[in-house]
Amino acid sequence: MSNIHHLRVTLRKALAVVDIYIWRLLLRNLRSIPYHEQIFIRAEYWASTRPPNSSERLRRQQTPKAILGRLLELRPTLEDLSPYIITLIAIKASEEHGLTDDMQKLDEIVHMYERAVDAASRQHWVPSLQSTFIAMLGMRLEKHRLPDGPQSRIDQHAQAVHFTNHGQTIAQRFSQTGSNEDLDNAIDFIDRGIQASDDEAYRARFSNSLGWLLITRYTETGFEPDIDRAIEVLDGATDAHDSKASCLNTLGYGLGVRSEQSGSVTDLERAIKALEEALELASADERADRAQLLGTLQFLLGVRARRTRSLECLDRAIDLGDKALKAVSDERNRPTRLSRLGLSFLDRYNQTGSAADLDRAIDLHTEALRLCRPLEVLRLGLLNNLGSALADRYRCAGSIDDLERSFKLYNDDLELRPPNHPDRGGVLRNFAKVHFDRFERLGYLEDLNRAVELSSEALKLTPSDHFDRAPQLSFFGGILATRWRETRSTEDLEHAIDIATEAIAATARHSSDKLAQRKVLAHMLIYRYAQDNSAEVVDRNIEVQREITQLLPLNDPSRPLWLATLGRTLSIRFCQTRSTEDINCAIQITEEAIESTPLGSPDRMPRQLFMGAWFNDRYQITGSIVDSDRAIRIAYEVLMAIETNHPQKFQAFRNLAIALGQRYIQTRSLLDISPYIQVFKEKWNFDNAPSSQRIFVAESTAYLLDLEGDWEGSSVILEAAVRLLPFASPRWLRHVYRQDRLKTYSGLASRATAYALRANKEPYEALSLLELGRGIIASSLMDLREDVLELEHHNPSLATEFVTVQDELDRPADDFAGWNPSSAFSAESRGKARRDMDKRFGELIEEIRALPGLSRYLLPPSENEMKAAAKFGPIVVITVDDFRCDAILIEYHQIRVLNLPNLTAEEVNTRVQDLHAARDSFRIMSILEWLWEAIADPCLHALGFDSPISSVEWPRLWWIPTGPVSRLPLHAAGRHMEGLKNTVLDRVVSSYSLTVRSLLYGRKHSTRLAEHSVLRDALLVAMHTTPGGLPTLQYATDEIDRVKTLCKSLQLDPVRPRQQTREEVLDLMKTSNVFHFAGHGRIDPIEPSQSSLLLEDWQTSPLTMGHLRDLRLHENPPFLAYLSACSTSASKDVKLYDEGLNLVSACQLAGFRHAIGTLWEVSDQHCVDVASVLYETVRDMGLTDGAVALGLHCAVRMLRDESVKAGRGAMAYATSTRALDGSADRNGRDLTLTCENEDVEQVTSSFWVPYIHYGV
């Protein structure tokens, strides 16, 4: 900002030079005295821009002197000249001739002052000019050799008058130029003049001028000694009779200014008393500037009104302001009077909210700004005040024009206002508020960031003990909290909490403000707790909320709210600590809140429900049936009392379900819960509630019905819940938020399937529930990438719009075309745009389904479509639930259910935990044998695969595991040490799929075989070394070299990226038919979408699952993605197993027809062997679907055979270091481990197990 100020000054000086040049040209031909006077003033300023006593300044001073000479030539009798110019002529003449013996010159100077006094008599310049006139008379008398005494006194007075009048002249110039140098010089000369005079009346008169200039400099610089000295000087001058009213006016104004900055009540009351006395004196003095006195008193009453909130004071201030405006005789003072009256109207608006007062304030300030000269000091105050008034009107009426006008005014103000100006902090704060208003209106994140910056700068300029600091802190904390809500920056929230805490300390003397600040802090602490569930944050919030309830009067209407809030916070701490004291306090405080809440209040019911929930919490600790009864009774009474669509209905259902469930767990008695089950049957489905709430109530109802043995009823309700899942995780949400929501419903689809089978429903009906309730994110992406060839044939225009909506919704949420990234739309603006687009997408689907032949467009597969999916081999869907475990067998001619009695959900979870806790070969081989007995052998037997394959043609089989089974290697199940008989590997070629629909989708959207594809590149990436201190992969380069050699026989052109970075690899993938990656993989256990393949820039720009998923290669689908890294087909979030969120599935969603991945770590050395066999098989069979699956099958089978042979001796167990998942570091992919178990001949190495194939 200082650079801008410097530029403006430089430009102003340059323009002055041009201006002077133009005016001098005009003066050659014009005889207009006003033009000469104006160019004289400009020439004076032009000369003053150079350093004092410099040669350049002396040279420039010749110009104004020449103009004065020209004026005397035009009017040698001084006719029509302004008093100001006459005075300057006299001063300059006195400077040159006043100390000479030339009496003729002295007579001329005195004559000039006589004419000036005469000309100024109507403009209130008389006192100063008369003083100068006296001085000149004194000089003339001195030359007539009067006696020594009088001569000395006259000489002293003449010197004083010379200094003061020269200072007054410079002060007049300052009022036009705003030059700080002029202000300093004016103060210096007038101060010297006062010190040189022993005339008390004279000293008093010019002490008033000195005081006013010191006050002016204080308002410009904030230098406190100036305001203190001004008041000291004025205090000593108020006894002078002929200038007492004027001195009292200036003294009152100075005291008011100091009071406004310091908050001193004493200064303010002294100021008002001084002005009232001045007005009394002015009533008897016609020379007194009554308008100025009225205006100053108006200003002081406005300060008092803002302090005391006195409407009476404001009304009087406005009345005085009107009178002052009417009394203005000098138009140059009109802008000041208009501004002060406008401020009074603005103050009254702030108290009454009167729109008329606000409009009047804006009109008055607008007129004042129009009349104000460009460089006048008053202009800065007008820009600030008018900007504030327009911002206030925007907040009331919402006119964007007012907001933009305010924005421009503040921008202009800060460009003009020097960096060290004392009011700069207030302007910065006001401008920050306007930026925040613009953010809330337009959604520009840039405005929010700028508001934070300006508010922070304003705080730095505000002293720590300033009375206005607390509101500033409060606003700053608020905008930081807002930015946290937009960006989720923990740093912003932490800073906001610190600022709110500081605000409380700054308002310790004002209890009402202290209360407000604590409320703000309490809300911020609630946000903070939501981030990390910190016990420390909860403790702090309880402390703050207790203080709030203690500060609130008993009859305060907000007290019940804060009591209830404290009760909830205590219950949160109870959940952390299980402290009986906390839950007792929560119940007691909430009971008090309910008693204080009016009967008809909408807040009463939620508080009752909270209290009922806490009775149930206490019941779990104490086992008191009384607490359980109260919990059930409260929830039931509320449920019966509310309307069908009441927003609290869900909470009532939730509380009742939990209370009944806990009661049954404790007592195992249906007698306690049976009377309430009918309520759930009748009321569970309320259409207006959010899908998430309806799903919860449905699950609770199904549980209660199951306790009664009503499996049919449970099945119907859970089926409805599954159909709500897509609505509970809508496609317009960001993927990360969709994942968070879906975690809540983990296992729901399997449970619904189990209930359907228990209710003896058809296998297709049960399977449809699995298809609906699993892979929801993948299904929505498939919807958005569905081709429209058939739709184009029926309705081309509808197809065009459908494709447009598809493309927009398929963009990442932060790359949505409905908003401009450079505009930084707020999260809500982006969200609304995506919601609107999603709504239109649903409408288009309904329109499409109304067309002939398209009634099942984007619906789950029909029974016939599912059976058709088994054309190339049967599909086995494994479903696991606490109630039962089954395999749903899909064959080309039928769908049937095979119950798996040896499989339990508990056993599955135990085996998965064992497998990933320590993956040694003993444990893995044990799991493979268990998988064979519990799942694989029954399924293969039912499908007729009872013996090993001896022919060349291998049958294919697709596994669709659900829940935790998806972490198990079904393809490797078997008793491998017993020979080549009882194993999956020796009976079928295994592939995997997330759902039946995804299998059909892959086949439908990749109809062209790779050998007919226009894509001929094979993108090969080998990460031999990876930044970040990760272990070197010795065989990664060998693996890629081997694949490169085989590419030629596959008619593929191997491509290696010049730089193995994310952007280059993603770019090359768009033109590649095969993508083979050999390197480290990273699994993110918290956010699966952030799982990644580690390239050279992985630490700053990781190639994540999200990037792969968003590639959208369907228009020209590639053939194979081979991810030779650890855990590329695994997800560690147990609640998202059914979503299949892993790197392999991301490649499939991107458009790859086939994908090879791993369930866990793999051996660096053996990766080379697996890749070699797979590509050799594809070379021999061609780029066909069967070749990829068979190639991996042969590679795994070969390694298995070798390990079985070696298993009779010491075991070499290889473990990979391609994972970066938080587990311990491993030193190389070919690590060997010597087994010390004496029964080593009974086990085999298991490095062949984790490889799996996903594809068509």
Side-chain angles (χ1 to χ4, degrees):
M1 192 61 71
S2 60
N3 291 335
I4 295 174
H5 179 70
H6 178 71
L7 179 61
R8 289 178 64 87
V9 172
T10 303
L11 288 174
R12 194 159 57 230
K13 292 176 181 177
L15 290 172
V17 176
V18 177
D19 203 18
I20 294 296
Y21 176 72
I22 293 171
W23 277 101
R24 293 188 69 173
L25 289 176
L26 290 172
L27 287 175
R28 293 177 183 175
N29 301 309
L30 295 176
R31 300 181 63 81
S32 169
I33 288 175
Y35 285 168
H36 283 74
E37 292 184 354
Q38 289 185 45
I39 190 59
F40 172 79
I41 294 171
R42 294 168 185 265
E44 280 277 278
Y45 174 72
W46 177 58
S48 71
T49 59
R50 310 312 299 163
N53 301 321
S54 66
S55 59
E56 177 64 15
R57 183 162 184 159
L58 293 173
R59 185 185 68 78
R60 291 189 179 190
Q61 284 175 343
Q62 298 307 309
T63 298
K65 288 180 180 180
I67 295 170
L68 282 175
R70 176 68 170 158
L71 282 166
L72 288 172
E73 291 174 11
L74 291 173
R75 286 291 185 270
T77 60
L78 304 178
E79 296 290 340
D80 301 326
L81 292 179
S82 70
Y84 174 60
I85 295 299
I86 296 171
T87 304
L88 288 177
I89 293 172
I91 290 173
K92 289 190 177 294
S94 68
E95 288 175 347
E96 294 180 8
H97 306 293
L99 300 178
T100 71
D101 293 329
D102 190 340
M103 294 305 301
Q104 183 180 353
K105 289 292 183 182
L106 283 174
D107 287 338
E108 289 177 5
I109 294 169
V110 171
H111 179 63
M112 289 180 197
Y113 277 107
E114 287 174 339
R115 297 305 301 268
V117 170
D118 179 61
S121 62
R122 296 182 302 275
Q123 302 184 34
H124 302 285
W125 286 32
V126 176
S128 59
L129 289 174
Q130 283 180 336
S131 298
T132 308
F133 179 44
I134 292 170
M136 293 301 104
L137 285 174
M139 293 176 70
R140 186 164 60 180
L141 290 171
E142 185 181 6
K143 300 304 177 182
H144 284 283
R145 297 180 177 84
L146 292 177
D148 290 344
Q151 279 185 22
S152 176
R153 190 171 186 278
I154 290 172
D155 180 62
Q156 182 181 5
H157 190 60
Q159 186 181 26
V161 171
H162 167 68
F163 284 138
T164 53
N165 279 295
H166 190 49
Q168 290 282 66
T169 302
I170 298 172
Q172 178 68 17
R173 187 168 63 190
F174 161 74
S175 69
Q176 298 182 27
T177 65
S179 165
N180 288 334
E181 182 183 351
D182 279 345
L183 180 58
D184 293 339
N185 287 336
I187 291 172
D188 181 56
F189 274 107
I190 293 175
D191 195 13
R192 288 164 65 183
I194 293 171
Q195 300 302 322
S197 175
D198 60 359
D199 185 329
E200 290 301 323
Y202 183 85
R203 289 169 62 91
R205 184 183 308 121
F206 285 97
S207 291
N208 183 40
S209 299
L210 178 61
W212 188 271
L213 291 171
L214 287 166
I215 294 168
T216 301
R217 189 163 68 180
Y218 167 73
T219 60
E220 288 289 303
T221 65
F223 185 57
E224 290 187 7
D226 274 344
I227 190 68
D228 294 336
R229 180 158 182 245
I231 291 170
E232 179 185 353
V233 167
L234 292 163
D235 269 332
T238 53
D239 292 335
H241 181 71
D242 61 343
S243 61
K244 185 168 184 177
S246 180
C247 286
L248 286 170
N249 172 71
T250 310
L251 174 62
Y253 179 68
L255 288 165
V257 169
R258 189 166 72 178
S259 171
E260 195 171 29
Q261 294 297 320
S262 66
S264 169
V265 176
T266 303
D267 277 350
L268 181 59
E269 294 307 318
R270 276 191 66 198
I272 292 172
K273 183 178 179 181
L275 260 296
E276 288 173 339
E277 184 181 351
L279 277 170
E280 289 180 10
L281 293 172
S283 61
D285 186 354
E286 294 181 357
R287 298 173 302 167
D289 189 346
R290 189 169 180 80
Q292 185 181 48
L293 297 174
L294 290 168
T296 305
L297 182 55
Q298 173 208 355
F299 158 71
L300 296 171
L301 289 172
V303 175
R304 180 199 269 172
R306 285 191 290 275
R307 294 270 179 82
T308 63
R309 307 290 293 174
S310 169
L311 201 56
E312 182 181 352
C313 264
L314 272 179
D315 291 341
R316 188 180 171 206
I318 289 173
D319 180 59
L320 290 171
D322 276 327
K323 291 178 180 178
L325 189 59
K326 292 173 183 175
V328 169
S329 58
D330 186 346
E331 288 300 309
R332 289 172 301 179
N333 294 328
R334 191 171 185 81
T336 301
R337 303 279 81 81
L338 288 166
S339 173
R340 286 189 177 169
L341 183 56
L343 277 175
S344 293
F345 275 107
L346 191 58
D347 287 338
R348 191 164 73 179
Y349 157 74
N350 287 330
Q351 285 202 33
T352 66
S354 167
D357 281 344
L358 183 57
D359 291 340
R360 179 75 171 131
I362 290 171
D363 292 342
L364 289 165
H365 279 103
T366 302
E367 177 66 9
L369 190 60
R370 186 185 68 80
L371 295 174
C372 187
R373 290 184 292 275
L375 298 177
E376 194 168 348
V377 176
L378 176 65
R379 190 174 188 85
L380 289 177
L382 288 171
L383 289 169
N384 182 23
N385 295 336
L386 181 55
S388 176
L390 287 166
D392 284 339
R393 189 163 72 179
Y394 162 74
R395 292 170 193 134
C396 291
S399 169
I400 193 67
D401 290 338
D402 283 341
L403 182 61
E404 293 302 337
R405 277 184 67 193
S406 176
F407 187 92
K408 184 179 184 305
L409 288 167
Y410 278 120
N411 205 48
D412 292 345
D413 185 308
L414 286 177
E415 286 186 6
L416 289 171
R417 196 176 294 268
N420 61 344
H421 195 284
D423 292 334
R424 186 176 179 83
V427 175
L428 289 167
R429 182 171 70 255
N430 290 342
F431 199 17
K433 291 178 180 178
V434 172
H435 272 288
F436 186 69
D437 289 334
R438 230 169 56 142
F439 160 73
E440 291 191 314
R441 176 65 177 266
L442 302 176
Y444 296 124
L445 192 60
E446 180 183 351
D447 274 322
L448 182 58
N449 291 335
R450 185 68 177 138
V452 171
E453 292 169 8
L454 292 170
S455 187
S456 177
E457 187 179 349
L459 270 174
K460 291 175 183 176
L461 295 175
T462 305
S464 58
D465 59 347
H466 194 280
F467 72 94
D468 197 38
R469 184 172 176 83
Q472 292 187 47
L473 288 165
S474 179
F475 173 71
F476 186 39
I479 58 176
L480 283 170
T482 300
R483 191 165 71 175
W484 168 78
R485 285 192 289 272
E486 289 293 316
T487 65
R488 296 298 170 181
S489 166
T490 303
E491 182 181 354
D492 275 343
L493 186 55
E494 293 285 4
H495 195 184
I497 291 170
D498 291 342
I499 292 295
T501 304
E502 185 181 349
I504 292 174
T507 55
R509 294 170 298 176
H510 312 288
S511 66
S512 59
D513 292 338
K514 184 166 62 175
L515 178 60
Q517 297 297 350
R518 277 166 169 74
K519 290 179 179 179
V520 171
L521 177 57
H523 286 300
M524 291 178 182
L525 289 169
I526 290 172
Y527 298 147
R528 184 70 183 87
Y529 172 76
Q531 282 200 314
D532 59 10
N533 299 338
S534 166
E536 182 181 348
V537 172
V538 174
D539 292 341
R540 175 76 174 115
N541 209 0
I542 288 173
E543 177 186 341
V544 172
Q545 290 171 15
R546 285 191 190 277
E547 292 172 356
I548 292 171
T549 57
Q550 290 166 3
L551 288 169
L552 282 167
L554 292 177
N555 60 348
D556 189 289
S558 68
R559 193 165 189 275
L561 168 65
W562 285 102
L563 286 170
T565 303
L566 175 57
R568 287 197 295 274
T569 310
L570 284 164
S571 75
I572 290 172
R573 189 164 71 181
F574 163 76
C575 293
Q576 294 176 337
T577 65
R578 309 306 286 177
S579 165
T580 306
E581 180 182 354
D582 279 340
I583 197 64
N584 290 341
C585 286
I587 292 172
Q588 179 184 350
I589 289 170
T590 306
E591 281 182 318
E592 184 181 351
I594 294 169
E595 291 173 2
S596 304
T597 305
L599 289 175
S601 171
D603 297 324
R604 188 177 180 86
M605 194 175 293
R607 290 165 190 168
Q608 289 176 314
L609 290 171
F610 276 121
M611 187 172 68
W614 298 330
F615 274 119
N616 191 63
D617 288 340
R618 192 164 70 181
Y619 167 63
Q620 296 177 52
I621 296 293
T622 65
S624 168
I625 295 297
V626 174
D627 281 342
S628 178
D629 288 340
R630 289 198 66 180
I632 293 171
R633 186 173 66 255
I634 289 172
Y636 179 75
E637 288 175 353
V638 171
L639 192 59
M640 292 295 99
I642 59 179
E643 301 86 358
T644 302
N645 294 326
H646 195 283
Q648 292 298 321
K649 184 175 180 181
F650 162 71
Q651 191 62 44
F653 261 122
R654 182 180 184 277
N655 285 9
L656 184 57
I658 292 173
L660 292 173
Q662 289 296 330
R663 184 66 164 263
Y664 179 77
I665 291 172
Q666 293 285 343
T667 65
R668 294 295 173 181
S669 170
L670 287 176
L671 294 176
D672 292 330
I673 65 174
S674 292
Y676 302 100
I677 293 178
Q678 189 61 32
V679 176
F680 280 84
K681 287 183 181 180
E682 295 173 355
K683 295 179 176 287
W684 79 270
N685 194 10
F686 38 111
D687 294 338
N688 71 315
S691 301
S692 58
Q693 296 181 2
R694 295 165 67 189
I695 291 171
F696 177 87
V697 175
E699 290 187 283
S700 301
T701 304
Y703 170 74
L704 293 172
L705 292 176
D706 179 69
L707 293 179
E708 285 194 328
D710 185 359
W711 297 339
E712 176 66 28
S714 297
S715 175
V716 170
I717 291 173
L718 284 179
E719 179 179 347
V722 170
R723 295 188 184 280
L724 289 171
L725 280 176
F727 301 99
S729 177
R731 58 175 67 86
W732 57 262
L733 281 175
R734 291 184 181 185
H735 290 300
V736 62
Y737 297 147
R738 298 188 70 188
Q739 292 165 196
D740 285 342
R741 290 195 177 191
L742 289 171
K743 287 180 183 180
T744 308
Y745 315 115
S746 175
L748 175 59
S750 294
R751 194 172 312 116
T753 301
Y755 275 104
L757 294 175
R758 291 175 77 183
N760 295 319
K761 293 189 175 181
E762 291 297 319
Y764 169 72
E765 293 182 66
L767 182 57
S768 295
L769 295 177
L770 278 178
E771 289 289 305
L772 276 171
R774 297 181 66 254
I776 290 173
I777 294 176
S779 292
S780 65
L781 287 173
M782 286 186 262
D783 290 345
L784 298 176
R785 296 171 184 179
E786 181 72 23
D787 69 48
V788 293
L789 293 176
E790 190 175 358
L791 177 58
E792 285 177 340
H793 175 71
H794 285 83
N795 192 322
S797 62
L798 194 62
T800 299
E801 184 182 2
F802 186 72
V803 169
T804 300
V805 176
Q806 277 183 315
D807 290 344
E808 296 303 332
L809 281 174
D810 197 19
R811 294 173 183 267
D814 288 333
D815 188 30
F816 188 55
W819 63 287
N820 183 355
S822 64
S823 300
F825 266 35
S826 69
E828 176 56 27
S829 300
R830 297 195 300 270
K832 184 179 185 304
R834 286 183 66 86
R835 288 194 295 273
D836 292 344
M837 196 68 75
D838 186 39
K839 180 181 178 182
R840 180 57 185 152
F841 186 73
E843 293 170 350
L844 287 171
I845 290 175
E846 294 303 318
E847 293 177 31
I848 293 169
R849 288 174 183 167
L851 297 174
L854 294 176
S855 60
R856 291 197 57 80
Y857 194 74
L858 297 187
L859 285 175
S862 66
E863 184 173 7
N864 288 334
E865 287 172 332
M866 285 191 180
K867 289 190 288 187
K871 177 180 180 181
F872 302 107
I875 303 167
V876 179
V877 182
I878 307 299
T879 174
V880 175
D881 186 69
D882 291 335
F883 298 106
R884 58 181 292 162
C885 298
D886 300 277
I888 301 178
L889 309 178
I890 307 173
E891 298 169 273
Y892 192 64
H893 63 289
Q894 65 177 342
I895 300 176
R896 53 192 170 121
V897 175
L898 174 67
N899 183 248
L900 301 175
N902 295 327
L903 186 67
T904 65
E906 183 180 2
E907 180 73 7
V908 169
N909 289 321
T910 299
R911 294 288 184 168
V912 168
Q913 292 172 8
D914 288 348
L915 177 63
H916 298 288
R919 259 183 300 279
D920 58 81
S921 288
F922 303 103
R923 197 183 305 268
I924 290 176
M925 298 308 294
S926 172
I927 289 172
L928 295 182
E929 292 183 2
W930 167 76
L931 282 173
W932 174 257
E933 297 294 336
I935 300 176
D937 185 36
C939 292
L940 294 181
H941 176 73
L943 293 169
F945 301 124
D946 289 317
S947 59
I949 299 300
S950 56
S951 63
V952 177
E953 294 293 328
W954 279 84
R956 296 192 62 188
L957 181 146
W958 277 264
W959 299 99
I960 300 181
T962 68
V965 180
S966 60
R967 291 286 275 156
L968 298 172
L970 295 170
H971 65 284
R975 297 182 174 277
H976 296 277
M977 296 304 296
E978 295 179 355
L980 307 181
K981 179 179 180 183
N982 296 323
T983 71
V984 174
L985 276 176
D986 296 301
R987 297 190 184 184
V988 294
V989 174
S990 294
S991 296
Y992 289 83
S993 182
L994 177 61
T995 60
V996 177
R997 185 191 176 189
S998 63
L999 184 59
L1000 290 169
Y1001 176 84
R1003 290 173 179 171
K1004 179 180 179 181
H1005 288 78
S1006 301
T1007 53
R1008 291 171 297 174
L1009 293 180
E1011 59 191 66
H1012 300 117
S1013 172
V1014 297
L1015 301 175
R1016 286 287 176 255
D1017 288 347
L1019 175 59
L1020 310 179
V1021 178
M1023 291 299 297
H1024 176 73
T1025 58
T1026 305
L1030 298 177
T1032 299
L1033 300 179
Q1034 180 180 351
Y1035 294 95
T1037 303
D1038 294 344
E1039 179 180 338
I1040 291 301
D1041 289 341
R1042 179 60 180 156
V1043 175
K1044 180 180 178 181
T1045 302
L1046 291 167
C1047 280
K1048 297 178 181 178
S1049 58
L1050 293 169
Q1051 298 182 340
L1052 294 172
D1053 298 323
V1055 175
R1056 299 285 295 273
R1058 290 185 301 250
Q1059 291 183 324
Q1060 299 189 138
T1061 61
R1062 181 183 73 188
E1063 295 307 318
E1064 181 155 357
V1065 169
L1066 286 174
D1067 189 55
L1068 291 172
M1069 285 179 72
K1070 297 172 184 177
T1071 58
S1072 299
N1073 203 26
V1074 171
F1075 169 52
H1076 191 111
F1077 174 84
H1080 286 293
R1082 175 182 178 273
I1083 303 302
D1084 193 314
I1086 298 174
E1087 172 48 88
S1089 295
Q1090 294 303 309
S1091 297
S1092 56
L1093 302 176
L1094 304 191
L1095 298 168
E1096 291 174 358
D1097 59 345
W1098 74 272
Q1099 292 167 301
T1100 57
S1101 302
L1103 176 57
T1104 67
M1105 173 196 153
H1107 291 109
L1108 294 171
R1109 178 188 59 209
D1110 295 334
L1111 266 177
R1112 304 174 71 201
L1113 305 174
H1114 301 79
E1115 292 185 4
N1116 201 4
F1119 183 68
L1120 172 64
Y1122 192 125
L1123 306 185
S1124 186
C1126 294
S1127 305
T1128 51
S1129 63
S1131 172
K1132 290 197 171 183
D1133 193 325
V1134 297
K1135 293 185 177 181
L1136 288 173
Y1137 282 158
D1138 281 338
E1139 287 302 302
L1141 300 176
N1142 55 63
L1143 293 161
V1144 164
S1145 67
C1147 289
Q1148 284 197 290
L1149 287 170
F1152 282 95
R1153 190 172 175 84
H1154 298 276
I1156 303 297
T1158 59
L1159 287 171
W1160 55 77
E1161 299 86 351
V1162 288
S1163 161
D1164 186 15
Q1165 179 180 359
H1166 289 93
C1167 283
V1168 181
D1169 300 327
V1170 174
S1172 297
V1173 174
L1174 185 146
Y1175 283 101
E1176 287 168 357
T1177 305
V1178 175
R1179 176 198 60 192
D1180 296 339
M1181 297 180 63
L1183 286 174
T1184 63
D1185 294 328
V1188 177
L1190 182 60
L1192 182 65
H1193 176 81
C1194 292
V1196 171
R1197 196 161 176 261
M1198 176 194 73
L1199 293 179
R1200 189 277 314 266
D1201 291 346
E1202 291 177 358
S1203 68
V1204 167
K1205 292 178 182 178
R1208 301 297 178 180
M1211 181 187 73
Y1213 171 54
T1215 304
S1216 168
T1217 60
R1218 285 189 179 176
L1220 183 62
D1221 57 4
S1223 57
D1225 289 341
R1226 300 176 179 87
N1227 299 318
R1229 289 200 291 177
D1230 57 340
L1231 185 79
T1232 56
L1233 173 69
T1234 301
C1235 178
E1236 298 179 356
N1237 192 300
E1238 295 180 358
D1239 298 325
V1240 69
E1241 67 274 13
Q1242 298 301 318
V1243 298
T1244 180
S1245 299
S1246 55
F1247 50 75
W1248 52 273
V1249 175
Y1251 297 92
I1252 62 174
H1253 166 255
Y1254 272 77
V1256 299

